Amino acid sequence: MTTNVTGKLGRAIMTCLAAASLVALAACAGESAQGDNTEPAAEGEPATIRLIIGPVFYEPVRIAEQEGIFEDYNLDVQVMDGNTASENAAQLIAGQADIAMSGGVSVIQGAVEGLGIRAILGATSSDPEVPTSGMVTTPESGIESCADLEGKTVGLQGLNETTHLGTLLCAQEAGIDPSTITFVQLPLPNLNDAVMTGEIDAAYTIGAFYGAGLEAGLIEFATPSNDVLAYGPSVVYAASDDYVEQNGDAVERFQQAMVEAHELGIADNFAKIRDVQREYSQLDPDFIANSIIAGYQTDLYESGLQRTLDGMFEFGFISRAVEIDEVVSPVAPLVP
């Protein structure tokens, strides 16, 4: 069964609006995040940015803090821990942040509803060669592929988000009716335990939690992000059109700072990303040292975006077909 996406994000937005008014939004234009000038724009005016991060793929933000990269770009970035993709998007729409990490699906839905947010930079996209997320179950479950999910209960960190869409597409391609699957939302850190205790039949885990589940003895039976949503916008940085229009220079410096932090983080077999995980996560240090890490692309990919948009329309996540430029800001680094 599926859940109406509009209602879910709408409720999240109303929760945020209890503490803040909905921001006024306007169309925008800007410069590309990957122009010829990649040197720190230290001569720019000092700017404060309120940034909400997510539970995964946040490490480059911490690297930018620790290595003084934000300071190099004359930015005071106030980092706030966020929650699910839809909740982060709702806080952004409510004006409680200037930029937010969120799932591509949640940002697209907000943009299509006319709420004035668009992606300005990638945090990670689905690399078809290296899984960074996957669907897991117990060895004795009998689930070997998405074709075995009929009548099963699948846990997700958020309904009507990227992992939800990926599971629906995977089930459809496997030849079963996706409406026969029951989806439940659980906190991301709890998904692996819920599978192991039998609370749910399977889970779609992401980032470090995906690898941790495999390390704990769960088995992978599908990687929808790699197979049916290749190069899709798994996690993005988003901002309102109004904010980008009024703070174009600060946004460009933020983009440049994050590109630098991402490059620093993935260097040397993701050494600095592993350092951040040791400091900020509850994962076992030995697992962090030996885990396979991939992703962290700052580009956004037209091919993956189009597949995501098509799937969202097909499964009712959005009410109409849309063009990529409706959900991706002109300032974003967009590649084929």
Side-chain angles (χ1 to χ4, degrees):
M1 71 181 71
T2 58
T3 302
N4 181 278
V5 68
T6 302
K8 178 178 175 60
L9 184 58
R11 288 191 297 271
I13 293 168
M14 291 305 296
T15 299
C16 292
L17 288 177
S21 299
L22 186 66
V23 294
L25 304 172
C28 74
E31 300 297 328
S32 170
Q34 293 189 339
D36 293 335
N37 178 20
T38 58
E39 294 300 315
E43 69 276 7
E45 290 293 325
T48 298
I49 295 176
R50 298 170 301 158
L51 171 66
I52 294 177
I53 61 174
V56 291
F57 298 103
Y58 63 88
E59 295 92 345
V61 173
R62 297 302 185 185
I63 291 170
E65 282 185 313
Q66 295 170 355
E67 299 294 327
I69 297 174
F70 288 141
E71 185 177 352
D72 288 343
Y73 287 88
N74 219 359
L75 297 174
D76 174 17
V77 178
Q78 300 175 355
V79 180
M80 300 172 282
D81 289 324
N83 208 320
T84 68
S86 61
E87 289 169 335
N88 286 4
Q91 287 183 273
L92 177 65
I93 293 164
Q96 296 178 359
D98 303 313
I99 298 174
M101 294 183 71
S102 185
V105 166
S106 293
V107 173
I108 289 168
Q109 186 244 330
V112 171
E113 290 184 353
L115 299 176
I117 61 171
R118 287 191 278 184
I120 62 168
L121 189 70
T124 193
S125 294
S126 304
D127 186 337
E129 302 299 324
V130 184
T132 58
S133 65
M135 303 194 71
V136 297
T137 188
T138 59
E140 60 273 13
S141 70
I143 299 174
E144 298 180 354
S145 72
C146 286
D148 299 315
L149 290 179
E150 187 170 6
K152 302 297 185 183
T153 298
V154 175
L156 307 171
Q157 71 133 359
L159 300 177
N160 302 306
E161 296 178 2
T162 305
T163 54
H164 194 175
L165 177 62
T167 306
L168 293 171
L169 289 168
C170 186
Q172 182 186 65
E173 292 204 356
I176 69 169
D177 182 356
S179 68
T180 64
I181 304 171
T182 299
F183 293 98
V184 297
Q185 179 174 325
L186 296 170
L188 180 58
N190 297 359
L191 286 174
N192 289 324
D193 286 341
V195 176
M196 289 187 283
T197 60
E199 180 182 349
I200 55 179
D201 299 305
Y204 197 148
T205 57
I206 58 179
F209 296 99
Y210 161 66
L214 299 180
E215 184 76 8
L218 297 178
I219 60 170
E220 170 204 288
F221 64 89
T223 54
S225 287
N226 299 72
D227 302 328
V228 296
L229 287 174
Y231 296 110
S234 300
V235 184
V236 302
Y237 296 92
S240 73
D241 290 344
D242 187 55
Y243 181 79
V244 173
E245 183 177 36
Q246 296 179 21
N247 302 275
D249 176 66
V251 170
E252 181 177 0
R253 282 183 279 144
F254 174 81
Q255 292 170 313
Q256 292 173 342
M258 289 312 306
V259 168
E260 184 176 329
H262 275 248
E263 291 174 348
L264 185 60
I266 67 177
D268 216 7
N269 192 26
F270 298 86
K272 289 192 178 297
I273 284 176
R274 296 179 198 274
D275 289 342
V276 172
Q277 290 180 350
R278 291 186 188 97
E279 181 177 355
Y280 285 93
S281 79
Q282 303 298 315
L283 297 171
D284 181 78
D286 288 338
F287 167 75
I288 292 172
N290 298 298
S291 63
I292 297 175
I293 302 178
Y296 295 91
Q297 306 95 328
T298 53
D299 285 331
L300 297 167
Y301 298 85
E302 290 181 357
S303 59
L305 278 160
Q306 192 60 60
R307 181 68 180 113
T308 301
L309 290 170
D310 292 344
M312 290 178 68
F313 181 55
E314 180 179 2
F315 285 103
F317 282 37
I318 51 178
S319 59
R320 61 179 177 84
V322 297
E323 300 296 328
I324 288 176
D325 62 4
E326 294 183 66
V327 299
V328 176
S329 171
V331 306
L334 184 64
V335 299

